[in-house]
Amino acid sequence: MPRDDAVLVRRSRAGDGGTFGLLFEQYKNLVYRTAFLIVGTAADAEDILQEVFLQVYRALDTYDPARGSFGTWIHRITVNCCLNWRRGRRPTDRLEGREDRAESLVCLPDEGLANRDSVHRALSVLSHKLRVVVVLRYYWDFSYADIAEMLDLPLGTVKSRLNLAMHQMKDQLGPGPQDQGRFVVEAER
Amino acid sequence: MRCREVRKMLVAYLDGELAPSECAAIDVHLARCRSCEGDLAALGRTRVEIADGMRRLAVGAVPSIHAWSRLQAVIMNRDPCSAGAATAKTVGRRALSPRRRIALVAAVTVALGVGVVAALPTARSAAEGLLWDILNLNRHHLASTQAGYLPEGFESVPIDHLGKVDVSSPDGEGGSAAPAGRSNPTEELLYRSGNWYLLIRTSSDGLTPLPEGRATEVNGNDAVVITGPSALASLPEQLVVDLEGAVGQEGAADMAASSSVAYRDTRAIVWVQSGVRVEVVSNLPEDEIRKIAYGLIFRYVEGIWRGGAACCTSSRDTLGCRWTGAR
C-alpha cells in the first residue's frame, strides 16, 4: 500500500473525518471510471460512487493491508457494487450518449468519436459479468490472478470469461481491413 | 491440439497468462492453422482497440462536482447515529462510532464544501456534531445551545457610538480602518446591556480570513486591539484582548490593576469558519460567551444544511476555535 494511503486509512480509522475526504478525492475517479465503464451511464456511476464510499466508510475498520492494497480493496467493493447494482434492473444495453454525460461534467474529446462508438457497441454486447473482467483486465491491467482474487472466482473462470468477452467483441467490431483483405485473397483461391 | 481447444486459450495466450507448456502447444498449432492464426490476429486488434477505446472513454469521465456533498448527505441520512440516537445501532452493517461520525460531520461540513439539503433533524444533528467535535461541547451544552443565542436584555448599539474596532497591521500601525489589501475586512455588531457588552466581529471577505488576530503585539504577545471610544463612558477607551490569554490595556497598566470589570473579564472566542474569521468578544461570563459562539456556529451550520448553500471554498478551511482572555 502506498505510504500516503496507509496514513490516510490509519487516520480515518482513528476518527479523523477530514482524511476520509482525502481518500475520497484520491479514489473517486478510480471508482467512478470503473463504474462508468461497467454500468455504462454517468447517472448510475454517480450512484455507485456514493454506494462504494458509503461501504468503504462503514467497513474501513475491516480493511486489512496484509490482504492487498487499498486500491485493490476499493476496486473489489466497486465491482461488487456494479454487479449488485444491476440485479433487478433492466440492463442498459448501450453506454449512454454524450449529451447525458454532460450532466456529470463528462467531457469527451472530439477525436476518435467513431472509435468510441464502436467500442460502445462492442462493450454493450457483453453481460455485466463479462464487462467487469474486461474493464479490470484491459483498462486497469490487473492480472488474471488478481481478478480471480478480487472477484472470488477460480482462475479458469476468469480465463473463460475473458475469452468469451473478447470473441464477442471481436465479432461485434467486425473484421479489420487486414482481415477483409485476407478473406478476399482466401476467397479467390 | 484441436482448433476448438486452441480458441478457448487464445486470449490468455495474448495476455501472457498461459503456462509455458500451453504456449508451446499453441505455437505448434498456429504454425499449421491459418484459421486460428487469423483469429489470433483479430483478437489482438480487438484487444488493442478495446483498451484504447476504454481509455478514451474514461479520460473524460469524472464525477459530478457535487459527489462529495451527496456522499455527506447519504451518510448523514442513512446512519442511525446521525439522527442523534443515544446508542449506536447496527442495521445489518457496522454502525459508525460516535467519534468517527462526529469527525466526519465536522470534516464534511468544513473541509471540502457543502451543498446539502436535508431535514431539520439532520441539520440539528450535523450542527451538534460539529459543535461537539470542534468545541468539545458536552451534552449539557448541546441541550442548551440555541441558534443565534443572545442573552436577555442585550440591545444592539450602533457601532459608530463605540468608535472604530480595528485590527492593527502587523507592523504595529494600529488604528487603521482595515489591514492592507482589504477594502472591507470586518463587520462588527455591538450589543450592550448595562456594563455588559458583546462584540461580534466577522470578516466580510469569505475567501480570505483575516489574519489570525495576531495583528499587533502587546507586552510581547499578539493581540487584537479594540480601539474605542469616548461615546460610551462606561466602556474603556481601549481594550486589548490578548490572544495568548492575558488581557491588557495598551500602553497602560495591566488589567489586574484596573477597576473596570469590563477590563478584567474581557474574553474572546475566535474561530475561522469557511474562510470567515469570527470573534466574539465580551465581558460576560465564559459560559455565556460560549453559548453565544455556539449559537452563531449552530445557526451557520444549520443554515447550510437547510439551505443547501455551498459555503466552503477550499480544503484549507478549518473551523478551529480557541479561547482568549482569562478562562
Side-chain angles (χ1 to χ4, degrees):
Chain A
M1 181 164 53
R3 189 169 177 271
D4 284 350
D5 283 357
V7 171
L8 293 180
V9 170
R10 191 168 62 246
R11 287 175 58 186
S12 290
R13 281 174 167 173
D16 182 348
T19 58
F20 187 69
L22 296 177
L23 279 173
F24 179 84
E25 282 298 306
Q26 194 154 317
Y27 285 99
K28 67 180 182 185
N29 285 347
L30 178 153
V31 172
Y32 183 85
R33 287 175 180 175
T34 302
F36 178 70
L37 290 171
I38 293 170
V39 300
T41 71
D44 282 346
E46 282 283 339
D47 288 343
I48 288 168
L49 178 72
Q50 301 293 313
E51 186 61 28
V52 166
F53 275 96
L54 185 65
Q55 289 189 24
V56 167
Y57 186 74
R58 291 176 185 277
L60 208 53
D61 289 340
T62 68
Y63 166 63
D64 179 6
R67 295 184 59 194
S69 73
F70 187 77
T72 302
W73 187 63
I74 207 168
H75 253 123
R76 181 182 295 120
I77 294 173
T78 303
V79 294
N80 284 328
C81 270
C82 290
L83 291 170
N84 292 332
W85 198 253
R86 281 299 167 192
R87 285 177 191 155
R89 290 186 177 211
R90 190 173 62 84
T92 300
D93 289 333
R94 281 181 57 84
L95 292 175
E96 65 184 358
R98 189 174 183 182
E99 306 73 36
D100 299 328
R101 284 195 297 274
E103 184 184 349
S104 64
L105 303 184
V106 171
C107 179
L108 297 174
D110 286 336
E111 60 178 319
L113 188 62
N115 176 273
R116 279 203 310 276
D117 286 345
S118 63
V119 171
H120 284 176
R121 281 196 299 274
L123 285 171
S124 70
V125 301
L126 303 180
S127 69
H128 287 98
K129 282 182 179 177
L130 296 186
R131 276 191 210 172
V132 165
V133 291
V134 166
V135 169
L136 292 177
R137 174 60 193 164
Y138 299 113
Y139 182 72
W140 291 110
D141 288 327
F142 280 107
S143 70
Y144 285 25
D146 288 341
I147 296 170
E149 187 184 348
M150 197 180 294
L151 301 178
D152 198 20
L153 291 172
L155 189 61
T157 304
V158 174
K159 277 184 190 174
S160 61
R161 283 187 185 180
L162 277 169
N163 196 65
L164 179 60
M166 293 305 287
H167 274 92
Q168 287 184 4
M169 289 193 292
K170 173 180 73 91
D171 294 343
Q172 178 64 33
L173 288 171
Q178 293 143 320
D179 294 318
Q180 290 172 15
R182 184 164 55 79
F183 290 149
V184 170
V185 171
E186 284 178 347
E188 287 174 348
R189 282 181 183 172
Chain B
M1 199 176 236
R2 301 170 67 93
C3 290
R4 192 173 173 182
E5 295 170 87
V6 168
R7 291 188 177 187
K8 284 182 180 175
M9 302 169 77
L10 282 180
V11 173
Y13 176 83
L14 281 168
D15 286 340
E17 292 275 355
L18 292 181
S21 59
E22 292 172 314
C23 285
I26 288 178
D27 286 338
V28 168
H29 180 88
L30 290 174
R32 59 178 173 78
C33 179
R34 299 217 37 196
S35 176
C36 286
E37 189 190 25
D39 202 23
L40 180 71
L43 284 170
R45 284 191 293 278
T46 299
R47 188 167 162 264
V48 170
E49 194 170 344
I50 291 297
D52 288 348
M54 285 195 296
R55 273 192 283 275
R56 276 193 287 272
L57 278 174
V59 82
V62 292
S64 155
I65 55 172
H66 302 301
W68 175 242
S69 56
R70 280 189 64 205
L71 178 64
Q72 297 164 29
V74 169
I75 288 175
M76 292 303 302
N77 288 329
R78 283 199 193 180
D79 182 16
C81 293
S82 68
T87 57
K89 300 172 186 175
T90 51
V91 186
R93 292 174 174 169
R94 292 168 59 89
L96 306 182
S97 70
R99 189 178 175 195
R100 285 211 4 225
R101 175 176 61 86
I102 291 162
L104 181 77
V105 168
V108 300
T109 304
V110 177
L112 294 173
V114 178
V116 182
V117 180
L120 179 60
T122 301
R124 171 130 198 139
S125 165
E128 285 182 351
L130 189 148
L131 294 174
W132 188 6
D133 187 54
I134 299 294
L135 305 178
N136 297 317
L137 206 59
N138 61 31
R139 291 197 178 280
H140 169 72
H141 282 123
L142 283 173
S144 62
T145 296
Q146 299 172 26
Y149 170 77
L150 191 68
E152 251 180 70
F154 271 71
E155 292 180 355
S156 176
V157 178
I159 202 75
D160 289 346
H161 290 185
L162 177 66
K164 289 191 296 184
V165 181
D166 296 339
V167 176
S168 302
S169 60
D171 59 8
E173 293 175 1
S176 59
R182 296 173 189 284
S183 56
N184 184 21
T186 61
E187 290 177 353
E188 293 120 0
L189 296 171
L190 178 66
Y191 299 89
R192 242 189 115 218
S193 175
N195 279 340
W196 304 108
Y197 74 91
L198 165 66
L199 182 66
I200 300 170
R201 299 155 45 91
T202 58
S203 68
S204 58
D205 179 356
L207 297 177
T208 314
L210 288 172
E212 287 290 309
R214 302 170 184 278
T216 190
E217 190 175 274
V218 177
N219 299 329
N221 290 326
D222 296 324
V224 170
V225 178
I226 303 174
T227 307
S230 38
L232 296 173
S234 59
L235 290 176
E237 282 195 359
Q238 189 172 68
L239 284 178
V240 177
V241 181
D242 181 349
L243 296 181
E244 297 303 321
V247 181
Q249 183 177 16
E250 190 174 27
D254 67 30
M255 300 290 37
S258 169
S259 59
S260 165
V261 172
Y263 275 130
R264 278 203 306 273
D265 291 342
T266 294
R267 297 178 178 89
I269 186 166
V270 181
W271 69 97
V272 177
Q273 177 171 293
S274 296
V276 177
R277 179 188 164 86
V278 186
E279 300 169 13
V280 174
V281 182
S282 178
N283 60 347
L284 282 163
E286 180 175 325
D287 273 356
E288 282 297 301
I289 301 178
R290 276 186 187 277
K291 285 166 71 175
I292 293 163
Y294 301 159
L296 285 170
I297 299 170
F298 194 103
R299 185 171 61 182
Y300 173 76
V301 175
E302 195 179 58
I304 294 164
W305 248 258
R306 275 177 162 172
C311 70
C312 300
T313 55
S314 84
S315 59
R316 288 174 303 172
D317 291 339
T318 56
L319 181 53
C321 181
R322 57 188 169 148
W323 275 94
T324 67
R327 297 198 60 172

